[in-house]
Amino acid sequence: MAEEIQHSRAIPSDDTTLTDIRIKAETALVQGAEERTHAFHLPALATIGVTGTPMVRHIILRAASPYDRTLSFYTDSRSQKVVEIGRNPDVNLVFYDPDAQEQLRVRGVAAFGNAQQAEQAWRELSPLGRRAYTAISGTGQPLGAAGSALPTYLEGRIPEADEVEGGFANFKLICVTYDELDWLALSRAGNRRAQFSWQQADKNWTGGWFVP
C-alpha cells in the first residue's frame, strides 16, 4: 500500500495555498475558452427545467474572464435552455480534466448578452459555426427522420458568410457571472477539495478546505 501511494499522482500538499488553487482553476477556465483541445472547453451546463427537474447538457465555453467572474457561451434562441434560464437564471457548470483528475464546479447567474455583445460574438464565429443557427426549427423539436434540420443547400459543406447571415436572428449569447467555485482533485493517495465564495461587500474571494 505504501508503494502504491508513493507512486500515485501528486496531490496538493498542505502548503499549497487556497489562492494558488483558485488562480489555477480560473486560469484553466480561460484556457478552456481559448483552446479547443483543452479539457475545460466542453463543460456540462445544469439548469432547472420548466417542470422543476434538473436539465444537463454540454456546451462550448466561448469566453472566460476571472476579472469580471464571467463565462460565456452561445445557443440557439429557440432552445429550451433559453426558456429555462429566462425562468430561473441560477446555473451550474461542471468541468473535468481527466489528465489532471481535477473537477471544477462553477455556480452562477446567467443573463442574455445585449445586442452589441451578441453582434460582436457573432462576428467572431466562422461561417461554419454560424451555420448551426440556420436550422429550420429550434433544437429539441421533433423530426420525421434523422437529420440536422439545416436548409438542404447548406448540408455537407462549409457555407459562404452571406449564406448564413440570417442565422443571427436565432443566435443568443449567454453570460454567466459566477460567485462560487468548488475544486476537487482525485488521487489514490487521498482526494482534496476546496471551495471559494465571492464576497460582494469586500470585493474578494474567501475559501476553505472541505471533505472531498
Side-chain angles (χ1 to χ4, degrees), residues 9-142:
R9 185 184 62 81
I11 59 176
S13 69
D14 292 337
D15 295 331
T16 301
T17 69
L18 289 164
T19 299
D20 289 340
I21 289 175
R22 179 180 57 77
I23 291 175
K24 177 185 175 183
E26 291 191 296
T27 299
L29 290 174
V30 174
Q31 293 172 334
E34 295 177 348
E35 304 170 17
R36 289 186 177 184
T37 58
H38 195 279
F40 279 15
H41 191 57
L42 295 171
L45 170 73
T47 57
I48 301 299
V50 294
T51 61
T53 58
M55 304 294 288
V56 183
R57 79 287 280 165
H58 285 283
I59 54 95
I60 298 175
L61 183 64
R62 299 291 186 173
S65 171
Y67 178 79
D68 297 319
R69 307 185 342 273
T70 57
L71 305 173
S72 301
F73 62 94
Y74 312 150
T75 191
D76 192 301
S77 62
R78 300 164 293 179
S79 70
Q80 193 64 24
K81 65 174 101 39
V82 169
V83 176
E84 293 161 1
I85 289 172
R87 288 172 176 244
N88 186 340
D90 294 328
V91 300
N92 271 263
L93 293 102
V94 181
F95 302 79
Y96 182 67
D97 185 335
D99 293 330
Q101 294 186 33
E102 293 180 359
Q103 172 186 274
L104 181 66
R105 292 192 297 167
V106 181
R107 179 179 176 180
V109 177
F112 304 125
N114 60 39
Q116 183 178 358
Q117 292 170 327
E119 175 73 20
Q120 180 178 348
W122 176 258
R123 294 303 163 205
E124 294 173 357
L125 266 182
S126 67
L128 184 60
R130 298 176 193 175
R131 188 183 65 170
Y133 301 94
T134 65
I136 59 176
S137 62
T139 59
Q141 297 302 310

Side-chain angles (χ1 to χ4, degrees), residues 141-163:
Q141 297 302 310
L143 290 173
S148 67
L150 291 173
T152 304
Y153 67 93
L154 293 178
E155 283 274 8
R157 67 182 183 87
I158 298 176
E160 298 295 331
D162 60 346
E163 293 181 294

Side-chain angles (χ1 to χ4, degrees), residues 18-19 21 181-183 192-197 205-211:
L18 289 164
T19 299
I21 289 175
L181 301 172
D182 187 310
W183 174 88
R192 297 289 187 271
R193 183 181 182 183
Q195 293 181 350
F196 306 90
S197 296
W205 287 98
T206 60
W209 295 103
F210 289 80
V211 177

